[in-house]
Amino acid sequence: MAESFDLLMDVSPKKLAWNFLVHVVRLWKAPCRYNPKEINSIEMVLQDSQARRIQASVPKALVRRWNDNIDEFKMYKMSNFIVVDKREKTKTSMNRWTLNFSHRTVVLLVENPTFPLQAFRLTQISELLNADRINDSQLIDIMGEVVGKEDPKELITSKGKETKRLAILVEDLDNYRIGCVLFGDMVDQILPYLDDGRVEPLIVVLQFFRPSRWNEKTSVQSHFDISKLRINPDLEEVRDFRDRRLAAIPSNLVRISQVNTNNSHSGADELKRGDVTVNTIEEALNSTQEGPLWIAGTIVAINSGKDDWFYKSCRKCPKKVETPIGNRYECGKCGHTHGSASLRFVFRFTICFGWTMLLQFTKLCNLYNRFKVEVMAYDGTGSITLLLWDRETVQLCGRQAEQIKDEEELYAEGYPAALESLLERKLLFKVNVKSSNIKLYDQVYTVMKVCEDDTIFEMHLPNKTFSTVTDTGCSNSVDLSAAMVDINNLSDSQYSVDVVEDSVTSLKCKTPAKTATMVLKQQIPINIENEEELGFSTNKLTRNRGKRQKMQLHDSNE
C-alpha cells in the first residue's frame, strides 16, 4: 500500500503529526544578530507535488543536529512539525504558516524523486515594469542575461559592517531590462564573470530577490541571506534560455557594457525615451496642475546657510529626526532609537571594549547628516527656488554630507565649500508641483531627479531662448540707475517689462551668482500698495519673499 502524504495547503496549527514529501527549493543559514559567525537558525523553503510552498525553520537548539544534513534541490520525507505563525514582513511563499523543527522531527532522503522539482517561479520583467504597484514584501525569481555592469563600491552599513555593492543590468528574451543590485558576497561571486570582452552570454537566476520602485524606477535587489545568485547553472530552464538568446544575438558580439547607474536615478533614461516635455521656469511657476514636470536651468545661487544645508536623519532610513524623548531620538518611520549613552554605560563600555570601540559605537548610535540644499535656478524666462535632497546633491557634488560635516570648513557664505561646485551648473530638473506651490504660499519646489548630461540637456531645451550666466568680461558690480523708470508715466507696459528683464539679465551677468539677488533687492525699491495698477509681475528674487510678488519701480530721484 502506497504511503500517503499531507499537502502543504492543508497545514494548520491543530496537529503535530504531519507527514510531507517535499523538495527543498532553497536553504540558508541565518546568522546570530550579535555574532555573525554563529548560526541562529537554518531556514528552508519546501515544495510539494502540488507546487505549493512553505517555509520551515530549524531553531538554534537543533542547528548542530541538522547542519549540513539537508541539501537544496533534493527530495525528502519529513514528518512531525510544530506549526507556528511567524508573521514576517518579507515572505518566501504565500503560506502564512511556518514549520518548526522539533526533537521529534524525522527527515529521510528520497533517492528517486516521484515528481519533478519546479525550482523557480520566474517573474517576467515586463510584468514588474508595468505594474501599478510593487509588492516589496514578496520575494521573486528572475532569469536573464547580464548586459550591463557598473563598478563595485565599498559600503559601510548602519551597523558598522563593511560590505560591497554592485549594480548590473539584466535583459530577458523579450529585450526588457531591469536593474539588479547585489550586496556582500554576491559581488565577489559575479565579478570574475564580468570580463570587458566577454562574447558568451552570462545567464543568471536571481532567486528570492526583493522588488523595489523608487522615484518611478523599478529594480530588484538581494535581500540578506535569503537571496541566492545562480550564475550559468546547469539547469534545463537556463539551457533553453541560452539557446534562444544565441539564436537572436550572435555570440561574436561583446555582450556586457559598462553602465552608469546614476543615470537611472538622474532621469537620463526617462528623458531618452523621448516622451518627456521640458518646460521653461516661467511655465513651471504658472502651472496649475499638480504633479511632476521637467525644467531646464542654471543654478545661480545657493540659499542655504551655515546650519540649514543638511538635516539630522535616522541612520536606518532617510526620515528626518528632530523631536527628542529625554536624551534619545526615536525615528517615527522605522522606530530606530538614537541618542547619547549615560556616563555609567560609557565607563563600563570603555572598560570592556576600549575607547576605539566606544567611538565607533557612539557614531552608530548618533543621528546621520544628509543633504538638504536650497538653490535658485535661472533660464532666461525667470528664476525658481529648488530644494535638493540627499541623493541628488550627492550625485552633483560627489560627496556625502556626513563627510563634509566632519572634514570641511564652511565657505564664506556659510555653506561648505564643496557645494560651490553646484553653481553655474546647467541641469535638467524633475520638480514636483504641489498644491501649496499652485496656491502661491510655498515658493520652494522639491527636486525629484536631476540630469547633468550635456548632450541630453541641449536636446531637451525649451523652444524659448535659454540664457546662461557667464563670467566673461563681467565686473563685480552693476549700476541699475539707468534702468530705474516710472511705470505710471509709460504708455507701453511691455516696454517697461522688457527694461526690467534686461536689467535682471545684465545684473546676473555682472554680479556673482551667489549675491545677485541680494544686490537686486537692495537697489530696486518695491511698492506693493497699489498692485492693481501694475501691469506685470516678476518671479521671486529672495527666499523670504513670495514667488510672484507684484513690483512697482520708482524713479531713482523720488
Side-chain angles (χ1 to χ4, degrees), residues 234-257:
D234 187 18
L235 299 171
E236 182 180 352
E237 302 98 315
V238 176
R239 290 192 292 269
D240 179 64
F241 185 96
R242 181 192 306 275
D243 293 341
R244 296 174 64 182
R245 286 291 288 180
L246 290 175
I249 304 177
S251 61
N252 58 350
L253 300 177
V254 176
R255 308 188 75 92
I256 302 178
S257 59

Side-chain angles (χ1 to χ4, degrees), residues 223-288:
H223 186 71
F224 300 105
D225 300 283
I226 305 178
S227 302
K228 185 161 187 176
L229 173 66
R230 301 181 185 272
I231 304 174
N232 285 332
D234 187 18
L235 299 171
E236 182 180 352
E237 302 98 315
V238 176
R239 290 192 292 269
D240 179 64
F241 185 96
R242 181 192 306 275
D243 293 341
R244 296 174 64 182
R245 286 291 288 180
L246 290 175
I249 304 177
S251 61
N252 58 350
L253 300 177
V254 176
R255 308 188 75 92
I256 302 178
S257 59
Q258 188 74 23
V259 297
N260 182 5
T261 54
N262 284 336
N263 287 340
S264 63
H265 295 302
S266 68
D269 291 341
E270 183 177 336
L271 291 163
K272 287 178 180 178
R273 290 200 298 262
D275 56 352
V276 175
T277 300
V278 177
N279 302 270
T280 64
I281 289 179
E282 182 182 31
E283 292 170 339
L285 293 171
N286 293 328
S287 175
T288 58

Side-chain angles (χ1 to χ4, degrees), residues 27 43 66 77 138 232 242 247 284 298 317 412 461 501 506 513 528 555:
L27 184 144
E43 306 292 331
W66 297 109
K77 293 180 183 179
Q138 189 69 46
N232 285 332
R242 181 192 306 275
T298 300
C317 70
L461 281 180
E501 182 172 338
S506 175
I528 60 174
D555 190 273

Side-chain angles (χ1 to χ4, degrees), residues 279-349:
N279 302 270
T280 64
I281 289 179
E282 182 182 31
E283 292 170 339
L285 293 171
N286 293 328
S287 175
T288 58
Q289 183 176 357
E290 294 183 45
L293 56 80
W294 284 91
I295 61 173
T298 300
I299 296 179
V300 294
I302 298 176
N303 289 345
S304 297
K306 178 180 179 181
D307 298 319
D308 57 2
W309 61 269
F310 67 96
Y311 71 97
K312 295 288 186 179
S313 81
C314 174
R315 296 194 73 89
K316 282 195 171 183
C317 70
K319 179 71 175 178
K320 185 177 181 180
V321 180
E322 30 183 24
T323 306
I325 305 174
N327 63 345
R328 297 180 299 108
Y329 288 83
E330 184 172 340
C331 178
K333 182 177 181 181
C334 68
H336 192 65
T337 302
H338 313 74
S340 58
S342 65
L343 292 177
R344 170 183 276 182
F345 174 82
V346 170
F347 177 76
R348 289 181 176 178
F349 195 99

